[in-house]
Amino acid sequence: MTEPHTSTPPQQPPAATAGDPTGRLQRASLGVTDIVFFVVAAAAPLTVMAGIAPLAILFGGIGAPVAYLVVGVVLCLFAVGFTAMTPHVRNAGAFYSYISRGLGRPAGLGAALLAVFSYNALQIGTYGAFGFFAAGTANDLLGVDLPWPVYAFAGIAVVWFLGFRSIHVGAKVLGALLIAETAVLALLAGAILVKGGAHGLSLASFAPSHVFTSQMSAPLGLAIAAFIGFEATALYREEARDPNRTVPRATYLAVGFLGLFYTFVVWVIVQAFGDDKAVGTAAQNPAEMFFTAMTRYVGGWATDLQRVLIVSSLLASLLAFHNAITRYGYALSSEGAAPAALGRIHPRHGSPWVSGIAQTVLAAVVTAVFAVIGAHPYNQFLLWVNTPGVVGILALQTLAACAVAVFFRRNRGADAAGRLRTVAAPVAAALLLAVITGLVCTRLNLFTGAAPAVNWALVALTPVIFATGAALAVRIRRNRPDVYAKLATTDVDSV
């Protein structure tokens, strides 16, 4: 759904002054479609389908498509409460703002620190995957043999440049890349459907005998990671046109699209090999399952295109997470909870450029460390760095759902959306998300392939970082009560 454009140009951010060292982001710049592109691109649909969905089939059997559908339903429940609270949270801090309003400022600042850490982990770890796939694609298609760090650092430079430019530039780039990666999956699905799959089309994947099994806990954990990033719609409140309508619509569209699209694509790939051979094919070489299907049903040229688009899919994801991270820095700095420099807005491009430089330097340093120690870019760099980010975001979603229920219980006058949206949905979402978080933590070896000690150390990062943020809030309350009182109170709609 695209909002109509008017002839009035987006408001330009006011220049920084001595009294206001930050300036403001571009106002009324993004419509529903723009925000959907940002958050869906962060999920990297082509990458998670080609790279992760075969593992879901391997571990869960042909019922794996239902795992994506179930997770989509759970996150829709989360979105119901999340969007009901949107008109009451006029701050662009997303999890930080929602959790602060519902569970208090210490929990809110703990959530902010955890969100910054989690998004950084997700983004920086993805540079390993980007370098790995870019190096392999360049070698296979062009005969260019360069080590993965060369491509990773090139990706860091491109992401910094696009993040530095106007938000419009990023939206256009993400839109083009997202359409391309979605189109190639649609091409594969269409070819499989037209040819009737391996042995005719079947709905056995949705049969109770294939769904209600002990194996389904594994694909549920893998499926939840495929949705990471959709909740970042609220981060673009200050830049959205009519945010009270744009943010909820973008949230529903993002999670709805991802849930239905993922379910459909995973079901189609099962049809490509047949109900009786899909699991065996995934077991032989899960990384090649989608490429084999593309070659068989469309042709080698499409397989080559798919390899290129996986690289561009990862680039889109990196840019989307970069934008989310810099806007967290902006929101926190504007309220005094982070260094003021992180909130500086470029006078021409309207981007939080200092925050962008800080995030880029951090990504370059971490990438350099993994390159120097000789870590595998995918099996170690990506998986070990990304995994605590996935756990952190799941914990934040659970806390945010709790915060919605508590907020409306304390503010019954704000309960105009009805008890279903403000109580039943967020409570149900919190319980279900807590269960899924537990499943992910207990099956972390599926993500990392590491020893139990490494996995539990990665899980422990979430409570440690959250507690550190909460302790920082208590210290700010004691030493800087004026700053503490300001936390999560900025009304970006009135500035």
Side-chain angles (χ1 to χ4, degrees):
M1 180 183 298
T2 304
E3 295 184 358
H5 290 264
T6 66
S7 58
T8 304
Q11 299 178 28
Q12 295 301 313
T17 65
D20 178 14
T22 62
R24 296 293 171 187
L25 297 171
Q26 288 189 346
R27 305 296 298 276
S29 299
L30 303 176
V32 172
T33 304
D34 298 321
I35 297 176
V36 169
F37 280 156
F38 274 112
V39 298
V40 174
L46 177 57
T47 302
V48 300
M49 286 290 94
I52 304 299
L55 295 176
I57 295 171
L58 173 61
F59 296 132
I62 64 172
V66 178
Y68 292 87
L69 186 61
V70 169
V71 169
V73 171
V74 171
L75 293 180
C76 276
L77 283 175
F78 170 81
V80 167
F82 192 69
T83 56
M85 194 170 168
T86 296
H88 307 286
V89 181
R90 300 190 174 188
N91 184 287
F95 284 136
Y96 156 61
S97 304
Y98 284 72
I99 294 173
S100 291
R101 295 294 300 275
L103 303 180
R105 291 182 177 90
L109 201 54
L113 198 62
L114 181 58
V116 171
F117 166 80
S118 299
Y119 283 126
N120 267 293
L122 290 165
Q123 198 251 16
I124 295 172
T126 302
Y127 279 115
F130 179 81
F132 175 75
F133 282 107
T137 300
N139 193 13
D140 293 342
L141 301 184
L142 303 175
V144 177
D145 187 12
L146 294 174
W148 71 265
V150 174
Y151 296 97
F153 285 115
I156 290 172
V158 171
V159 168
W160 165 79
F161 176 75
L162 293 174
F164 172 73
R165 296 296 302 275
S166 166
I167 194 72
H168 295 292
V169 175
K172 290 177 181 177
V173 171
L174 285 176
L177 296 179
L178 181 59
I179 290 171
E181 65 178 295
T182 304
V184 78
L185 285 171
L187 174 66
L188 173 60
I192 294 171
L193 293 177
V194 167
K195 296 182 180 180
H199 309 295
L201 302 180
S202 165
L203 295 178
S205 291
F206 303 97
S209 60
H210 291 125
V211 174
F212 297 104
T213 68
S214 60
Q215 296 175 308
M216 286 300 288
S217 62
L220 277 173
L222 294 169
I224 194 70
F227 288 80
I228 293 296
F230 87 90
E231 71 290 329
T233 50
L235 286 172
Y236 299 99
R237 181 181 184 92
E238 186 167 342
E239 295 156 288
R241 295 191 295 271
D242 190 5
N244 286 340
R245 295 176 59 198
T246 301
V247 171
R249 288 181 180 180
T251 304
Y252 282 123
L253 279 174
V255 70
F257 169 78
L258 289 173
L260 294 175
F261 188 67
Y262 286 155
T263 302
F264 171 68
V265 171
V266 178
W267 171 74
V268 165
I269 206 66
V270 170
Q271 304 312 301
F273 298 96
D275 294 338
D276 57 338
K277 294 184 178 179
V279 176
T281 303
Q284 289 175 4
N285 191 348
E288 291 294 320
M289 189 175 188
F290 270 73
F291 297 115
T292 300
M294 185 68 81
T295 301
R296 180 180 301 177
Y297 286 91
V298 183
W301 67 269
T303 303
D304 292 341
L305 176 61
Q306 186 179 22
R307 293 186 187 279
V308 173
L309 289 177
I310 282 182
V311 178
S312 68
S313 169
L314 289 165
L315 183 65
S317 178
L318 288 164
L319 177 58
F321 278 123
H322 175 82
N323 285 329
I325 294 164
T326 57
R327 276 145 187 82
Y328 256 108
Y330 167 78
L332 292 171
S333 68
S334 66
E335 296 184 340
L342 294 180
R344 292 191 180 277
I345 301 301
H346 194 275
R348 178 181 177 186
H349 301 304
S351 62
W353 65 283
V354 175
S355 184
I357 291 174
Q359 201 279 322
T360 300
V361 170
L362 177 62
V365 169
V366 175
T367 300
V369 169
F370 276 86
V372 168
I373 66 176
H376 190 279
Y378 193 94
N379 296 337
Q380 294 173 314
F381 185 12
L382 168 71
L383 297 179
W384 289 17
V385 176
N386 264 32
T387 296
V390 172
V391 175
I393 295 298
L394 277 171
L396 288 168
Q397 289 175 343
T398 305
L399 287 171
C402 294
V404 172
V406 173
F407 172 82
F408 283 110
R409 179 177 176 82
R410 291 176 176 171
N411 300 272
R412 297 191 181 276
D415 193 5
R419 304 283 287 178
L420 178 62
R421 292 186 64 192
T422 60
V423 178
V427 168
L431 292 173
L432 292 169
L433 284 167
V435 171
I436 293 175
T437 303
L439 287 174
V440 170
C441 291
T442 56
R443 302 300 297 272
L444 216 62
N445 59 300
L446 297 179
F447 293 83
T448 66
V454 173
N455 291 330
W456 285 115
L458 295 176
V459 170
L461 288 172
T462 290
V464 168
I465 291 169
F466 179 84
T468 300
L472 177 61
V474 172
R475 181 179 178 182
I476 292 175
R477 180 174 59 190
R478 182 174 63 250
N479 298 333
R480 295 187 292 165
D482 55 327
V483 172
Y484 182 81
K486 188 180 178 182
L487 295 178
T489 62
T490 300
D491 185 349
V492 299
D493 295 350
S494 64
V495 295

